[in-house]
Amino acid sequence: MDQSFRALLLEKSETGQTATFRTLTLGDLMEGDTVVRVTHSTLNYKDGLAVTGKAPIARKYPMIAGIDLAGAVETSTDPRYKPGDAVVLNGWGLSESHYGGYAGVARVKGEWLVPLQAPFSAAEAMAIGTAGYTAMLAVMALEDQKVHPGGGPVLVTGAAGGVGSVAIALLAKLGFTVIASTGRPEEADYLKGLGAQEIIPRAELSGDPRPIAKERWQGAVDSVGSKTLANVLAMTRYGGAVAACGLAQGMDLPGSVAPFILRGVTLTGIDSVMCPRPRRLEAWTRLARDLDRERLAAMTAHHGLSEIPDLANRILAGQVRGRVVIDVAR
Ligand code: NDP
């Protein structure tokens, strides 16, 4: 394999964090039993936070950014893998404590990898990425709480974002009536194309919450947090469930216990980073079954690694729609 490769390296200087493209070699990488030739990565909200340094994602420096990667195994001492195997990695501390996917080569633990799920290509797996696999985990969590297509509509907040877009496509394919909440009314046609039946303005949910309000949905996938999540809970029907995945509005939860104790509503938390391997494999199997590939293509834009610094600012500004695939060679 080529001895040198390009990587987006986060470094700490006296003035703060910098993100610089550097040429590295295998010897610069961290410990691991498996070397992967990375072909594709992606851009999630968390990648935006990591690359800009707007939140402390990297826990040590230097750090290669990128929480996701897809590529082919070059070498491995893990008996599960042989050279050429197509693999995917989501989370497990990449870009936090272990060098991540914004690099031509990664050295990782084999136990963090999942086999590329047929029929997806490496690029499609990254179109899904952490955002899409998290949306799947959220839908599975709602199903665990008996949220079902006949039980009434399901709300998706942060609808035009990555988690939101994949959640809409999944829920629609499963037969749910999907309500999409967005701050981008100009994306109504896009959201309807993914399967949303009703679009509501983000502002309906982002103000000061009442402890309990009119029942509007059986369940929700929320990537926004804060007042929005409190409002979503207050408007969830008796016995419903809300999957909390994100914090695009904020990390606080300024709400009331009323939805829990008066309506038996369940708030279920979603973590993709340390999610155990069996649940990951189940999520990827479900994505292969329940995610419409044409809708995945419709929500995906393709960019090169060189564009990451600009894209990182754009995703934090709420200017990225759907999902982004990063071609690591460009
Ligand atoms: P995106 O930026 O793609 O999507 C976030 C969306 O949230 C935006 O597109 C926008 O949707 C909405 N939004 C942005 N700012 C605000 C605001 N101030 N108030 C209300 N809505 C807002 O990010 P991702 O989809 O990659 O991630 C979404 C969230 O989920 C992030 O907070 C991320 O950290 C979290 N996450 C958590 C994971 C986990 O393991 N729990 C894994 C993956 C993501 P619109 O324009 O439609 O209003």
Side-chain angles (χ1 to χ4, degrees):
M1 75 191 297
D2 286 349
Q3 283 306 303
S4 62
F5 54 87
R6 195 165 54 130
L8 184 56
L9 206 63
L10 308 178
E11 293 164 302
K12 196 82 174 169
S13 73
E14 278 172 16
T15 51
Q17 182 192 283
T18 57
T20 314
F21 288 102
R22 304 256 183 227
T23 300
L24 304 182
T25 63
L26 204 52
D28 295 316
L29 295 179
M30 296 167 83
E31 297 275 292
D33 55 28
T34 302
V35 175
V36 178
R37 164 74 61 186
V38 181
T39 58
H40 298 86
S41 185
T42 179
L43 178 86
N44 303 277
Y45 191 86
K46 187 171 172 182
D47 293 310
L49 293 172
V51 171
T52 60
K54 292 228 165 87
I57 303 296
R59 289 200 228 119
K60 54 183 176 186
Y61 294 94
M63 178 56 61
I64 298 176
I67 67 171
D68 289 308
L69 63 85
V73 171
E74 288 276 346
T75 59
S76 181
T77 55
D78 185 321
R80 284 172 289 201
Y81 299 104
K82 59 181 191 313
D85 282 353
V87 288
V88 172
L89 202 166
N90 308 109
W92 285 125
L94 258 59
S95 173
E96 299 179 54
S97 52
H98 196 94
Y99 284 180
Y102 293 163
V105 180
R107 184 156 50 205
V108 297
K109 288 188 185 169
E111 67 191 52
W112 294 342
L113 298 167
V114 294
L116 178 68
Q117 177 75 47
F120 298 129
S121 64
E124 284 175 312
M126 289 295 96
I128 295 167
T130 285
Y133 136 74
T134 298
M136 189 73 249
L137 291 174
V139 171
M140 286 161 56
L142 294 183
E143 291 173 342
D144 290 347
Q145 297 304 324
K146 309 284 184 265
V147 172
H148 61 100
V154 170
L155 172 75
V156 175
T157 62
V163 174
S165 294
V166 179
I168 292 169
L170 287 169
L171 289 163
K173 173 122 190 251
L174 290 166
F176 285 93
T177 300
V178 183
I179 304 174
S181 158
T182 184
R184 291 184 263 184
E186 67 277 15
E187 299 296 355
D189 286 344
Y190 162 78
L191 296 168
K192 286 187 175 153
L194 296 181
Q197 295 195 1
E198 189 185 339
I199 315 292
I200 64 171
R202 179 203 284 182
E204 262 185 40
L205 302 174
S206 58
D208 290 338
R210 304 219 312 266
I212 202 116
K214 186 169 176 282
E215 294 169 82
R216 294 176 72 178
W217 33 76
Q218 142 186 232
V221 175
D222 175 60
S223 51
V224 173
S226 192
K227 290 181 182 178
T228 299
L229 177 53
N231 275 306
V232 169
L233 287 164
M235 297 175 191
T236 299
R237 285 187 191 167
Y238 194 95
V242 176
C245 328
L247 42 63
Q249 186 181 14
M251 220 176 187
D252 57 336
L253 179 50
S256 157
V257 297
F260 310 127
I261 63 174
L262 299 181
R263 289 199 183 138
V265 167
T266 298
L267 176 59
T268 171
I270 306 300
D271 168 57
S272 64
V273 178
M274 303 307 289
C275 176
R277 187 177 159 84
R279 188 79 167 166
R280 286 170 188 259
L281 292 172
E282 187 187 347
W284 277 99
T285 305
R286 286 288 307 272
L287 283 159
R289 195 189 84 188
D290 297 331
L291 184 59
D292 184 303
R293 289 168 80 199
E294 279 182 23
R295 284 181 173 165
L296 179 65
M299 70 176 82
T300 304
H302 294 261
H303 293 276
L305 190 65
S306 318
E307 297 170 82
I308 288 279
D310 174 47
L311 288 165
N313 284 305
R314 284 177 47 207
I315 197 166
L316 296 189
Q319 293 167 355
V320 169
R321 183 180 86 175
R323 298 284 303 130
V324 171
V325 171
I326 299 298
D327 179 344
V328 171
R330 288 203 274 133

